[in-house]
Amino acid sequence: MKAKDLRARSTEDLVELQTSLKKELFGNRMKNFTNQLDDTSQLQKARRDLARIQGILRERESAPASAGGSAS
C-alpha cells in the first residue's frame, strides 16, 4: 500500500485496517515458524504497511494539537 492511498482513507478505516494487519502478521509469523509460509516477504510487507498506518494515525492525532496552540 502506498501512503498516498492510506491518507485518503478515514481514520476509522485505518484503525480497522491496522487491526486486520496485526492479525495477518501474527498468522504469517506462526506459518513461518512452522515452515508453512511460502512467501516470507509478506512478513516485511505487513510490517511496513503497519508502520505506515501507525505513522499516519499519529500524524492525525498531533495535527489538531499543533495547529491551535501557537498563537503569540
Side-chain angles (χ1 to χ4, degrees), residues 6 8-10 30 42 47-48 54-55 62 67:
L6 292 173
R9 294 184 179 212
S10 68
M30 291 300 117
Q42 290 178 352
R47 280 196 310 259
R48 285 185 179 177
Q54 289 173 343
S62 66

Side-chain angles (χ1 to χ4, degrees):
M1 280 179 248
K2 296 192 181 237
K4 184 179 181 181
D5 298 333
L6 292 173
R7 282 193 175 93
R9 294 184 179 212
S10 68
T11 304
E12 295 83 18
D13 192 24
L14 286 176
V15 170
E16 183 179 319
L17 186 61
Q18 179 183 18
T19 305
S20 67
L21 273 176
K22 283 183 180 181
K23 288 179 183 178
E24 179 184 333
L25 181 60
F26 179 77
N28 284 342
R29 283 197 318 243
M30 291 300 117
K31 284 182 182 179
N32 191 32
F33 183 73
T34 58
N35 293 325
Q36 295 175 351
L37 185 65
D38 295 330
D39 185 13
T40 57
S41 69
Q42 290 178 352
L43 294 170
Q44 186 176 7
K45 289 176 186 176
R47 280 196 310 259
R48 285 185 179 177
D49 287 341
L50 192 57
R52 282 188 190 106
I53 291 170
Q54 289 173 343
I56 292 170
L57 289 173
R58 193 172 301 118
E59 186 178 273
R60 289 183 183 180
E61 285 177 3
S62 66
S66 64
S70 61
S72 320

